Amino acid sequence: GESLLAVLKRSRLEGFLTDNVVKSGIPAYRNFTDSMGYGGAAGNRLLSPMAPLGSNIAEYANLLWVTNNVWLQCVHGGNFSCMATDLLPLLRGCLSLYDHIAVYNGTNELHIGKTRAPDCTTTGWDSTYDLSLVHWGLDTYLKLCDTPAFDGNGQCDKVSAFRKLQDKLSPVHSTPGSGLNAYFDVPYGSKACGGQDVTHMLPVYPLRQIT
């Protein structure tokens, strides 16, 4: 079979990852031609349209999580050229989607609307799955594009927008005594999110955002 990098590159170049957003059936997303993502389970063409926010199948961070694996391959394989040719276009596309959908929701911070975290039966605002990966993606994109010797192949045009998103985006949420939440006000272990999916711990490992 194809490698992860080969599948992602082909799907990106053939437009499938953008089509999943633009042709999702969500009217507001028809102009999101700079955005990438895929919904639930997808075949080797990664064709899986995004679901509306609030839907029980509204998983938005799947491609961003895969992109973290691309970053790991680039770093641990010592293949830094793939950061410009493979990683950066994916980061730019994934983060553009969140830049479109993040809202203030009555606060001074930007929040992510109701998505579904893996292993949860309900949706909620500010899922840890989304927030942790978006913060990782923003930090990685901006560090790469701020590196003087790094050639971003024209993909560093979103630095200003993504820096604003990084400055305003809500941190992941937690509850004293029980740790990280699944959503804004829903702790892990609740009836809605009682499983032990690895995505619940992304801010701890592999993203290493908290200890």
Side-chain angles (χ1 to χ4, degrees):
E2 289 181 285
S3 70
L4 172 63
L5 285 176
V7 170
L8 288 168
K9 179 179 283 189
R10 177 172 49 79
S11 298
R12 173 173 59 82
L13 293 176
E14 293 180 5
F16 300 141
L17 296 176
T18 297
D19 284 350
N20 286 334
V21 178
V22 175
K23 298 180 180 178
S24 63
I26 305 171
Y29 292 10
R30 289 174 187 162
N31 295 323
F32 291 2
T33 55
D34 58 351
S35 302
M36 295 181 190
Y38 68 84
N44 63 0
R45 299 175 76 189
L46 298 183
L47 279 168
S48 182
M50 312 296 287
L53 290 169
S55 163
N56 255 357
I57 56 171
E59 292 185 13
Y60 277 36
N62 293 335
L63 180 59
L64 197 47
W65 190 15
V66 172
T67 301
N68 177 255
N69 286 288
V70 174
W71 178 80
L72 289 171
Q73 286 194 27
C74 293
V75 171
H76 294 296
N79 183 6
F80 294 102
S81 66
C82 81
M83 291 194 177
T85 59
D86 299 304
L87 176 68
L88 209 61
L90 291 169
L91 275 177
R92 182 183 181 279
C94 291
L95 296 173
S96 292
L97 175 61
Y98 285 96
D99 194 35
H100 286 303
I101 67 173
V103 296
Y104 281 102
N105 196 29
T107 71
N108 290 323
E109 294 179 327
L110 286 167
H111 299 273
I112 297 169
K114 289 186 176 181
T115 60
R116 189 180 78 87
D119 216 30
C120 291
T121 58
T122 63
T123 62
W125 283 86
D126 284 353
S127 88
T128 293
Y129 180 48
D130 290 273
L131 283 175
S132 61
L133 284 164
V134 175
H135 276 292
W136 166 80
L138 290 166
D139 185 61
T140 302
Y141 179 95
L142 292 171
K143 281 182 177 177
L144 283 174
C145 290
D146 285 344
T147 302
F150 181 73
D151 180 4
N153 286 336
Q155 297 294 315
C156 289
D157 58 329
K158 294 269 190 172
V159 166
S160 178
F162 290 168
R163 203 178 303 282
K164 179 181 177 182
L165 179 59
Q166 183 185 53
D167 290 343
K168 294 291 186 178
L169 187 64
S170 169
V172 296
H173 304 282
S174 60
T175 298
S178 62
L180 289 168
N181 287 358
Y183 302 115
F184 173 75
D185 57 354
V186 179
Y188 288 125
S190 66
K191 185 176 181 181
C193 298
Q196 300 296 319
D197 192 274
V198 67
T199 58
H200 297 175
M201 298 301 293
L202 284 175
V204 179
Y205 183 83
L207 302 182
R208 302 181 187 273
Q209 295 164 328
I210 59 175
T211 58

